[in-house]
Amino acid sequence: MPALKFIDFSPQHPSPAPPLDNASNLVLIDNYDSFTWNVYQYLVLEGATVTVHRNDKVTLEELIAQKPTQLVISPGPGHPETDSGVSREAIKYFAGKIPIFGVCMGQQCIFSVYGGEVSSAGEILHGKTSPLHHDSKGVYANLPQDLPVTRYHSLAGTHPTLPECLQVSSWIAKGEDGGKGIIMGVRHKEFVVEGVQFHPESILTAEGRVMLKNFLHMRGGTWVENERLQREVIGGIGEESKDGSQSNGSKKENILHKIFAHRKAAVALQMEIPSQRPSDLQASYDLNLAPPLISFVDRLRKSPFPLSLMAEIKRASPSKGIISISTCAPAQAKTYALAGASVISVLTEPEWFKGSIDDLRAVRQALEGMPNRPALLRKEFIFEEYQILEARLAGADTVLLIVKMLDEAALTRLYHYSLHLGMEPLVEVNTPEEMAVAVKLGSKVIGVNNRNLASFEVDLDTTSRLMAQVPKETIVCALSGISGAQDVAAYHKNGVGAVLVGEALMRAKDTAKFITELLGGSTSGKAKVDDRSVLVKICGTRTPEAATAAVDAGADLIGMILVPGRKRCVTTDQALAISKVVHARSRGSFIKPAADYDSACATDFFSGGRTVLTSHRSLLVGVFQNQPLAEIIEKQKLYDLDLVQLHGDEPLEWATTIPVPVIKSFKPGQSWIGTRGYHAVSLLDSACGGSGEKLDMDEVRSVLKKDAELRILLAGGLDANNVAAAIREVGTFGSQVLGVDVSSGVEDNGVQSITKIQAFIKAAQSSR
């Protein structure tokens, strides 16, 4: 790397900036370093009023009493955990309350406070100048890359121990590809906390004063609060009206329009990116790559509750700031679905609501194969057909159109384009005038926002007041501000069809319980403990006589090995004879299993496993292993197989092509066991099948613990003497075991024993 040219970047006859009202009481902690004076100088030149305290001459209580507007932690010698005095305590207390900036040891204190390890940087640096790479955010806003910065340090935070709550904001490039080398800057993901390992106050650091200026213009304790306050400053909030008063309504409305304008600019840029251009999206749609959709209107009319629930995934909002920044959208969606939500609303606006179109895609994947899944709403500021097409390709069943933000021509155009893609939109209104527009449009679902988008004030009576304008067949949804059962009860009385709830759900400790209490009912769709008898599959059947004995003894499934070269593989004549017996023989004691789900509530894909595996007669299973798909389909038809078992490395996607349900064999811990939408049931086996090798039950419990909705068949080393114990050994996860599979355990010297078959079935079925 070529040496950087040394340039003196120090302020030459500097002109101080006017005093900053928001930096009127900045506290600088001095870690006994000569550079503290330079830091102080830059801060004062940028308009801050600064008080300096030595790190061991002030207590945290004294700092709190001082009520600082910002906190800056200076450089210093030694290690942050032993030589920084009050610095680390101050960071812990003030983080999330005021902006915090750390320089050199100051950054190391931040890294250490949140659990990172500060250790040797691999070299001792004293006045070394290096080119800086950064993310152009925070203190680096509007600064060029490869800035020369000055480094005085032997310690640094390490990449492997980077705390989850921090992100690397700048670094020294490593290797020809410019990879991230030594960490030069970190930023808290939620709080306004930044640190730099280099010295911005050094005369050899370019734009150091600008970095500190950028810091001084940060406001609030969180990035969401900072963004809101910055927008208020930029938008002229605080300007007085002619009578000297301030108009709060115009401030909030200004924020709304700024969000809208920001989204327009962002979408315009996105539409220029190859692979994301309108023509690219249309090409994907023409290739039928959009996931299947369901009717938003029809799904909204199905609910286990008196009113339908539209459950929202919302990490933040302009009015409330951060609500739940760490939420995993697909996990939250699955919780909502199984708790009875008819619709899941996914906020995809990234800046103010902290969502993304990727959240929508992930949520759609999480609901894949789910019987009676909820409809998916893309909640976003929609103003282009492009956004509607993008939503459909990501898996949305409907989109939000806000009457307030669209003129009537644009609203009509977007409404009909959405219908063209098969999606009935949710049309949002707030006033009688907007309701008249929505009714004229012919909207089948109208959402009344109880939050006035101009003032952000919530009036829960808004929905009820507008009900008289709505045709009887139109579904009215109450949006915003709903937090308790009393709110929902009033809406139900007034004829409202659905309620949208976001913040209250995101903050709930027990989401499913809160939904039940909120909507005034209970969900029968939620998984129940399955105490029904264990299903039994007798595998490796080679004769009609053995099949007859197994059926008569009460076997639910009769398995034939159709893998050439395996010792239990049957011939075509044997397979046809076994098939004839199984299909002709009824089970006199058969009782149709009760439904595992409520038709008005979504259920997990695997919840129907027992239904798939049971019938008025025993079901015939053909077992295959790494054979061509065409051969499997041919033999399924030839032998009239009720189910196909794949016992090799077959692609999961084959299950969608094979014309009967598929049982897929896995070893515990193997990938894709819980992938929804393909195999109907997972079979856990210890080896290739028929080996007699027992399963490690610790591994089985681990698999079931990770996925509470997974349903399995157990195989591997089972016989009449140990099958009941094996079921009990699964412990509290026993209800996830639908049945057991046996082959060698019912044989004598490689030949099926009718006596052992009967004994195994009896032992398995009486195990619970």
Side-chain angles (χ1 to χ4, degrees), residues 455-566:
S455 67
F456 280 17
E457 294 176 355
V458 174
D459 179 0
L460 293 179
D461 291 331
T462 304
T463 301
S464 300
R465 284 196 299 268
L466 299 182
M467 286 294 296
Q469 292 180 248
V470 184
K472 186 177 181 180
E473 63 276 10
T474 302
I475 300 175
V476 175
C477 309
L479 317 178
S480 292
I482 299 160
S483 59
Q486 68 281 0
D487 304 328
V488 176
Y491 287 137
H492 183 228
K493 183 178 179 180
N494 291 331
V496 172
V499 291
L500 185 144
V501 186
E503 181 186 350
L505 286 179
M506 296 294 288
R507 297 188 189 278
K509 293 182 178 180
D510 185 333
T511 305
K513 181 181 179 182
F514 180 81
I515 287 174
T516 299
E517 294 172 349
L518 181 73
L519 275 297
S522 61
T523 60
S524 56
K526 193 168 178 63
K528 311 177 187 71
V529 174
D530 193 344
D531 57 0
R532 291 169 288 186
S533 64
V534 173
L535 302 178
V536 179
K537 174 172 173 274
I538 303 297
C539 203
T541 304
R542 280 157 282 175
T543 66
E545 292 76 19
T548 299
V551 171
D552 289 347
D556 301 280
L557 305 154
I558 307 297
M560 301 188 299
I561 306 300
L562 300 174
V563 185
R566 293 281 296 276

Side-chain angles (χ1 to χ4, degrees), residues 408-420:
E408 196 164 341
L411 176 66
T412 302
R413 186 183 77 249
L414 296 173
Y415 180 82
H416 287 287
Y417 180 73
S418 184
L419 291 181
H420 169 69

Side-chain angles (χ1 to χ4, degrees), residues 23-37:
S24 60
N25 190 22
L26 185 150
V27 166
L28 171 61
I29 303 296
D30 175 19
N31 285 303
Y32 286 86
D33 194 274
S34 60
F35 270 113
T36 302
W37 160 250

